[in-house]
Amino acid sequence: MMNEQWLNLYRIEIEDFYQKTRAFAAGELSRKEYKGISGGFGSYAQRDAARHMLRLRLPGGRLTAPRLQFLARIAGKYEVAPLKLTTCQTVQLHNLTPDLLPVIMEHAAYSDIIARGGGGDNPRNVMASPLTGVQAGEAFDVMPWAEAVSDYLLTICRDIHMPRKLKVAFCNGADDCVHTAFRDMGFVARKDGTFRLYIAGGLGANHRMGVQVTDALPAADVLYAVKAMVDTFCAHGNYENRAKARTRYMQETLGEEELRRVYLENLAAAKAKGGLGLTVKPVPVTKAGAGSLQHPRVTAQKQPGLYAVAYHPIGGILPTGKPAELAALLREMPGAECRVAPHETLYIINLTAAEAEKILAATDDSARTLFETSVACIGASICQQGVRDSQAALQACVAAVREAGIPDGALPKICISGCPSSCGAHQAGAIGFQGCVKPVPGDKPVPAFKMFLGGSDTVGQARFGEAVGTVREDQLPALLVELGQAAAAAGQHWFGWRSAHPDELQAILAKYL
């Protein structure tokens, strides 16, 4: 939680932001001028400029009891829809009126939710493996470091002027769905208590894997590492061309070896100055487990007798009444907590078997199969930057796959982005789609998606998918159905079928791409 002085200034900033929002509504500010202001407060005007989005920072994806209760109150009182779980472990509130923005921001702050820096050229929500602290096989719980970095970045975000945004993620060593291998900064926990550190990676245009700069960063030095990255980015980032102002472009301008040298030099300088050493440590789970349970949406925690339930609303669209329903249940479940995952899944952790049964019943509208846990950004019907309506595309695909009776596992989870920005992380998906248009000889281009194959975010095996062609939007469901039918006919899951039947895969793709 930020200190009272910081929060008091934040409240003054909220009022100033509200005045700018009113000016935009009155036509006194252009979309571009307003975007440059609103992004710093986690808000953007939607495609309908009279409606706004607000992004709530949730370090590590933690939707604690007070945060969940706040979300329940706001969603219910103001009938907020849609509520969008995002690939950066946040919750986005959509279709807000200008007058509602400051009200929600002010009340959110009292529940330890800050919108400051949620967009624009700012440090974004700090991410962490969603089951960190409870996941079997993890190196250690990285949540305390993620939260400490979030607090640090908020304290300096008013004072720094970076070329573009900065995304920081922590992997617990077991689950890298937060994509540490290709973030601006990616910390990977090691069994010896240190971090492997990658920098200057990123999705989107000119996507790049991160550069490993150290294999054993002491956990106490994490804030020094972050300061060094901010200093490196401010000194060597591109302030003239926004298209090349992300950290990954420093790999081009400096080269990997020089980037590593400059960064480590800045790290040494930060440590020499001192004052940022960390002494945080994980908070142990003390709740006693009870009972046993097996279910496709239930994961046994490393704490015996405790469980985590996965709830994935299709497309990451959380029903407006669901936060209130979950908040009411969790009041009777000591130690239970919600976590937002980057694949738009909500985990409810620290549950006994009996408690998990109740959560399963309350979330029976969850995705039914691996394919139905697919990821899609909010899409062009709402986002002013969007090219294609990724939500509508996913809904059409899910309906077609259900109707065709494709068995679970015959198709993987797919990732759909409405534009090249990769908000759906399409380049990291086993199958990914990016919104675009497809040229038609002698006619107008048609709505389409560029297709990517072979991406992975498995720990130690991260790779980007390869672009294989472009499919018309109206043919996307048929393509996926035919791929799923082929795998099912062979009696194989997607990954086994794709490896064993490359010629059949290419023959199917050739019909659509």
Side-chain angles (χ1 to χ4, degrees), residues 263 350 468 503:
Y263 173 79
N350 296 334
V468 294
D503 292 341

PDB file of all heavy atoms in Angstrom, residues 263 350 468 503:
ATOM      1  N   TYR A 263      23.998  -2.362 -19.413  1.00  0.00           N
ATOM      2  CA  TYR A 263      23.065  -2.656 -18.328  1.00  0.00           C
ATOM      3  C   TYR A 263      23.810  -3.035 -17.049  1.00  0.00           C
ATOM      4  O   TYR A 263      23.500  -2.522 -15.955  1.00  0.00           O
ATOM      5  CB  TYR A 263      22.098  -3.778 -18.729  1.00  0.00           C
ATOM      6  CG  TYR A 263      21.243  -4.203 -17.558  1.00  0.00           C
ATOM      7  CD1 TYR A 263      20.143  -3.438 -17.189  1.00  0.00           C
ATOM      8  CD2 TYR A 263      21.582  -5.297 -16.785  1.00  0.00           C
ATOM      9  CE1 TYR A 263      19.387  -3.778 -16.074  1.00  0.00           C
ATOM     10  CE2 TYR A 263      20.837  -5.646 -15.671  1.00  0.00           C
ATOM     11  CZ  TYR A 263      19.740  -4.877 -15.324  1.00  0.00           C
ATOM     12  OH  TYR A 263      19.013  -5.212 -14.206  1.00  0.00           O
ATOM     13  N   ASN A 350      -5.967 -21.684  -1.914  1.00  0.00           N
ATOM     14  CA  ASN A 350      -6.016 -21.939  -0.473  1.00  0.00           C
ATOM     15  C   ASN A 350      -7.390 -22.425  -0.026  1.00  0.00           C
ATOM     16  O   ASN A 350      -7.968 -21.941   0.951  1.00  0.00           O
ATOM     17  CB  ASN A 350      -5.605 -20.694   0.323  1.00  0.00           C
ATOM     18  CG  ASN A 350      -4.174 -20.285   0.072  1.00  0.00           C
ATOM     19  OD1 ASN A 350      -3.332 -21.116  -0.284  1.00  0.00           O
ATOM     20  ND2 ASN A 350      -3.869 -19.003   0.226  1.00  0.00           N
ATOM     21  N   VAL A 468       2.296 -18.377 -40.735  1.00  0.00           N
ATOM     22  CA  VAL A 468       2.142 -19.377 -41.794  1.00  0.00           C
ATOM     23  C   VAL A 468       1.184 -18.928 -42.894  1.00  0.00           C
ATOM     24  O   VAL A 468       1.066 -19.600 -43.929  1.00  0.00           O
ATOM     25  CB  VAL A 468       1.658 -20.727 -41.214  1.00  0.00           C
ATOM     26  CG1 VAL A 468       2.718 -21.332 -40.312  1.00  0.00           C
ATOM     27  CG2 VAL A 468       0.327 -20.575 -40.468  1.00  0.00           C
ATOM     28  N   ASP A 503       2.386 -33.337 -43.055  1.00  0.00           N
ATOM     29  CA  ASP A 503       1.846 -33.213 -44.411  1.00  0.00           C
ATOM     30  C   ASP A 503       0.340 -32.980 -44.378  1.00  0.00           C
ATOM     31  O   ASP A 503      -0.196 -32.164 -45.150  1.00  0.00           O
ATOM     32  CB  ASP A 503       2.158 -34.474 -45.222  1.00  0.00           C
ATOM     33  CG  ASP A 503       3.643 -34.620 -45.516  1.00  0.00           C
ATOM     34  OD1 ASP A 503       4.370 -33.602 -45.420  1.00  0.00           O
ATOM     35  OD2 ASP A 503       4.084 -35.742 -45.816  1.00  0.00           O
TER      36      ASP A 503
END
